[in-house]
């Protein structure tokens, strides 16, 4: 078959024919748990970690996941094997796995809901999207505040499909009338009221006092890539520690606040995410104020080199393999 396949509720079907029913809770109310994994050399990277997080999030969101881990893995591997054959030379895939409670009964005059929906699809890993991360460095830009708390009914660690806050954040950065406006390409950062910062594509890491600092687990979206960085740090004999970070101090407009916080001790900032793995941050902006950081930093370069060795791919070269296209 020369067309990309998707998987939906027990069937492999052409990608173009896949779709949720208008009565599905994933469409009606955005009740969707999701995972996004990538391949190296057409093999899924850290798939057991991704699957374990996906199953945990489905459980915590009361979305039934009836298939076993072995069954889900078999589907994932079959889908990747088929769709990878359609890639251009050097291409890789991202695998999206999602689950919803299924159709809502009252939408179709039924007494009960369900059955639950389980789906998978792939897309070509967009090297061009991340190319500038490795040629120019990442720019982070403060987009605004979204109230999140670890005790929320929907805690920040859950990976779910609703991207409305991120859609708004991206548009704020492009809107000249908005206080968060940023004239160049940037990754939007949303803060909690206490200053925890997160992005839609990766977790933020600091290098401070010779250590790599991650935000306390559970306070932002759980990241498999952050776990990998922790392993790389151990291999490089670099300590990684968790802290409740107020990242607003990295881009604060007040010099006094900057000097009186730990921000002046930060020597590097990094971003870790599934698609691009690890990238160095060159600038962090908040409205008209921009703070720059050493790029590419020595810790970033050291950790990326170890990651390259692990996967047998030079990631920075891979991202430059296709012409850059504006987002």
């Amino acid at each position: 078959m020369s067309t990309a396949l998707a998987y939906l509720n027990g069937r492999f079907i052409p990608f173009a024919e896949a779709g949720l029913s208008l009565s599905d809770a994933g469409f009606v109310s955005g009740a969707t748990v999701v995972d996004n994994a990538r391949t190296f050399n057409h093999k899924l990277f850290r798939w057991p970690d991704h699957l374990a997080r996906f199953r945990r999030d489905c459980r915590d969101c009361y979305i039934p996941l009836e298939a076993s881990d072995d069954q889900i893995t078999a589907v994932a591997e079959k889908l990747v094997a088929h769709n990878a054959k359609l890639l251009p030379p050097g291409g890789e895939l991202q695998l999206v796995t999602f689950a919803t409670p299924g159709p809502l009964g009252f939408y179709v005059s039924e007494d009960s809901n369900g059955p639950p929906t389980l789906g998978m699809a792939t897309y070509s890993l967009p090297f061009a999207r991340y190319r500038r991360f490795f040629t120019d460095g990442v720019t982070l830009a403060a987009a605004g505040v979204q109230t999140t708390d670890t005790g929320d009914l929907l805690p920040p660690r859950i990976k779910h499909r609703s991207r409305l806050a991120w859609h708004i954040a991206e548009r704020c950065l492009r809107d000249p009338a908005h206080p968060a406006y940023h004239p160049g390409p940037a990754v939007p950062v949303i803060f909690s009221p206490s200053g925890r910062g997160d992005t839609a594509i990766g977790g933020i890491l600091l290098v401070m006092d010779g250590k790599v600092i991650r935000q306390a687990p559970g306070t932002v979206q759980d990241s498999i890539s952050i776990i990998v960085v922790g392993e790389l740090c151990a291999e490089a004999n670099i300590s990684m520690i968790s802290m409740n970070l107020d990242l607003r101090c990295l881009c604060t407009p007040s010099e006094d606040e900057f000097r009186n916080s730990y921000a002046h001790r930060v020597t590097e900032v990094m971003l870790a995410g599934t698609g691009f793995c690890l990238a160095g941050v060159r600038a962090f902006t908040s409205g008209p104020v921009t703070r720059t950081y050493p790029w590419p930093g020595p810790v970033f370069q050291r950790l990326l080199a170890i990651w390259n060795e692990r996967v047998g791919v030079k990631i920075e070269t891979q991202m430059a393999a296709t012409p850059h296209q504006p987002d």
Side-chain angles (χ1 to χ4, degrees):
M1 198 172 191
S2 60
T3 186
L5 295 179
Y7 173 86
L8 190 61
N9 293 331
R11 298 173 55 228
F12 289 94
I13 55 178
F15 179 89
E17 296 178 14
L20 288 183
S21 163
L22 293 181
S23 65
D24 194 289
F27 173 79
V28 175
S29 55
T32 310
V33 168
V34 69
D35 180 78
N36 197 339
R38 68 156 288 174
T39 66
F40 281 102
N41 297 312
H42 302 169
K43 300 296 182 184
L44 287 166
F45 181 65
R46 302 298 290 246
W47 172 248
D49 292 329
H50 283 273
L51 180 55
R53 180 182 63 181
F54 180 69
R55 183 171 290 281
R56 180 207 66 187
D57 288 353
C58 285
R59 181 198 67 221
D60 291 351
C61 293
Y62 297 92
I63 294 178
L65 191 56
E66 297 171 346
S68 70
D69 285 358
D70 287 344
Q71 290 171 324
I72 296 172
T73 297
V75 170
E77 291 177 346
K78 182 175 180 179
L79 195 64
V80 166
H82 178 277
N83 291 349
K85 295 175 183 176
L86 307 177
L87 289 170
E92 297 288 355
L93 291 173
Q94 292 209 220
L95 171 71
V96 177
T97 306
F98 65 92
T100 85
L104 297 175
F106 68 88
Y107 259 64
V108 288
S109 301
E110 299 285 349
D111 292 333
S112 60
N113 300 330
T117 293
L118 174 64
M120 293 185 186
T122 69
Y123 60 94
S124 298
L125 202 155
F127 299 150
R129 182 186 186 195
Y130 306 120
R131 180 175 181 264
R132 66 171 182 269
F133 290 4
F134 297 93
T135 57
D136 304 319
V138 177
T139 294
L140 300 176
V145 174
Q146 183 75 25
T147 301
T148 58
D149 186 83
T150 54
D152 286 349
L153 279 173
L154 180 59
R157 63 178 174 79
I158 299 276
K159 190 173 180 68
H160 55 89
R161 178 57 89 189
S162 176
R163 314 306 280 174
L164 187 56
W166 297 112
H167 169 81
I168 294 170
E170 290 177 358
R171 270 51 185 187
C172 287
L173 297 189
R174 300 176 188 176
D175 180 1
H178 196 278
Y181 172 67
H182 182 76
V187 176
V189 177
I190 296 179
F191 295 111
S192 73
S194 62
R196 295 189 307 268
D198 207 3
T199 83
I201 61 171
I204 300 170
L205 295 163
L206 310 183
V207 180
M208 185 170 64
D209 303 329
K211 301 178 178 68
V212 173
I213 316 296
R214 61 171 292 179
Q215 296 186 99
T219 63
V220 293
Q221 189 175 100
D222 279 357
S223 168
I224 306 302
S225 299
I226 296 290
I227 294 173
V228 175
V229 172
E231 296 171 359
L232 304 182
C233 286
E235 190 171 336
N237 200 28
I238 299 171
S239 296
M240 175 186 267
I241 63 174
S242 300
M243 288 178 58
N244 287 309
L245 297 170
D246 184 345
L247 295 183
R248 294 170 298 186
C249 68
L250 300 184
C251 55
T252 176
S254 167
E255 290 297 330
D256 288 337
E257 289 177 9
F258 182 81
R259 285 192 296 270
N260 292 332
S261 71
Y262 52 77
H264 67 282
R265 293 157 47 202
V266 174
T267 55
E268 289 180 54
V269 182
M270 300 181 291
L271 191 66
T274 296
F276 55 88
C277 301
L278 186 66
V281 172
R282 190 169 199 160
F284 203 151
T285 76
S286 178
V289 176
T290 298
R291 294 197 184 278
T292 59
Y293 294 90
W295 180 87
V299 173
F300 157 66
Q301 293 182 85
R302 189 174 173 190
L303 295 178
L304 183 63
I306 299 173
W307 201 320
N308 288 342
E309 290 176 6
R310 275 198 174 195
V311 297
V313 172
K314 196 169 184 180
I315 295 166
E316 61 271 40
T317 301
Q318 184 181 69
M319 295 301 160
T322 53
H324 175 59
Q325 310 235 344
D327 292 341

